[in-house]
């Protein structure tokens, strides 16, 4: 895993990893952030242009709308986030993890992740599979589609994605 350090860096990091050729598949995990999702739409456009395929981004981007916490929170609740703002989501995070005044600091992230277990992974997996997969809808994610692939005994899906983007 490579942390791009912000949505603005994702296209360049993606292109670098893809061209490096050391990986069987390069996927992007990103937030859609606030409407009108300009950075997110720019990421999709740049990935599509890089591959010269109009739907390449749909094959390789895993998104959380409005943010990654939408997916993390599914370990504990059916509640959908309405905002990527950490102060807005802090009460929900406190309720399920006990982490006070969540601001996304590294120590807080580690503490939240201590509450992710094999048992609640099953809950998260089912909950994200039930989410809307339209990236323009607040409270959506396509992570459920990727969970099915990640859990598959057949790794042929990797080659299928690569064929779609070439």
């Amino acid at each position: 895993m490579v942390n791009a350090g912000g949505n603005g860096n994702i296209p360049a990091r993606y292109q670098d990893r893809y061209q490096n050729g050391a990986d069987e598949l390069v996927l992007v995990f990103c937030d859609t952030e606030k409407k009108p999702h300009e950075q997110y739409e720019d990421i999709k456009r740049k990935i599509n242009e890089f591959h010269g395929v109009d739907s390449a981004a749909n094959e390789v981007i895993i998104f959380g709308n409005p943010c990654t916490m939408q997916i993390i929170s599914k370990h504990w609740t059916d509640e959908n986030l309405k905002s990527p703002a950490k102060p807005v989501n802090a009460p929900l995070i406190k309720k399920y993890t006990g982490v006070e005044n969540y601001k996304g600091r590294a120590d807080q992230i580690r503490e939240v992740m201590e509450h992710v277990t094999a048992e609640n992974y099953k809950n998260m997996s089912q909950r994200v599979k039930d989410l809307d997969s339209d990236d323009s809808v607040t409270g959506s994610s396509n992570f459920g589609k990727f969970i099915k692939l990640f859990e598959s005994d057949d790794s042929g899906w990797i080659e299928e994605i690569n064929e779609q983007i070439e």
Side-chain angles (χ1 to χ4, degrees):
M1 294 194 50
V2 175
N3 185 342
N7 279 358
N9 300 326
I10 289 174
R13 292 283 195 315
Y14 174 83
Q15 187 172 345
D16 179 60
R17 294 300 299 195
Y18 186 86
Q19 288 178 322
N20 177 333
D23 303 302
E24 287 185 58
L25 179 65
V26 179
L27 298 173
V28 171
F29 199 119
C30 65
D31 302 345
T32 62
E33 290 289 342
K34 294 179 230 164
K35 289 181 181 180
H37 312 296
E38 291 170 350
Q39 284 187 332
Y40 173 72
E41 291 297 332
D42 191 48
I43 291 166
K44 291 188 341 182
R45 181 184 54 76
K46 288 178 178 177
I47 288 174
N48 288 341
E49 287 175 358
F50 170 68
H51 287 289
V53 176
D54 288 342
S55 62
N58 294 335
E59 300 297 325
V60 299
I61 292 179
I62 304 168
F63 70 87
N65 182 339
C67 58
T68 308
M69 188 54 72
Q70 171 66 23
I71 297 162
I72 308 273
S73 69
K74 292 299 176 190
H75 285 83
W76 312 290
T77 181
D78 287 319
E79 191 173 340
N80 286 340
L81 303 184
K82 295 168 184 61
S83 167
K86 290 174 180 60
V88 172
N89 296 320
L92 180 130
I93 295 165
K94 182 180 185 309
K95 178 178 179 181
Y96 292 104
T97 68
V99 175
E100 298 271 354
N101 197 24
Y102 184 79
K103 294 181 180 175
R105 294 189 325 256
D107 63 314
Q108 291 176 318
I109 293 169
R110 278 191 301 275
E111 194 174 342
V112 166
M113 296 324 259
E114 288 175 9
H115 291 70
V116 172
T117 65
E119 292 76 29
N120 63 32
Y121 169 86
K122 294 173 189 169
N123 297 330
M124 178 277 300
S125 176
Q126 186 55 54
R127 287 175 177 137
V128 297
K129 288 174 186 172
D130 292 340
L131 288 175
D132 194 318
S133 60
D134 180 341
D135 61 5
S136 68
V137 174
T138 301
S140 65
S141 177
N142 63 347
F143 191 50
K145 170 183 110 173
F146 285 93
I147 285 178
K148 288 179 187 173
L149 297 174
F150 297 152
E151 292 177 349
S152 171
D153 291 333
D154 179 7
S155 63
W157 63 270
I158 295 170
E159 188 57 38
E160 289 175 25
I161 290 175
N162 282 320
E163 288 172 9
Q164 295 283 332
I165 63 177
E166 291 175 356

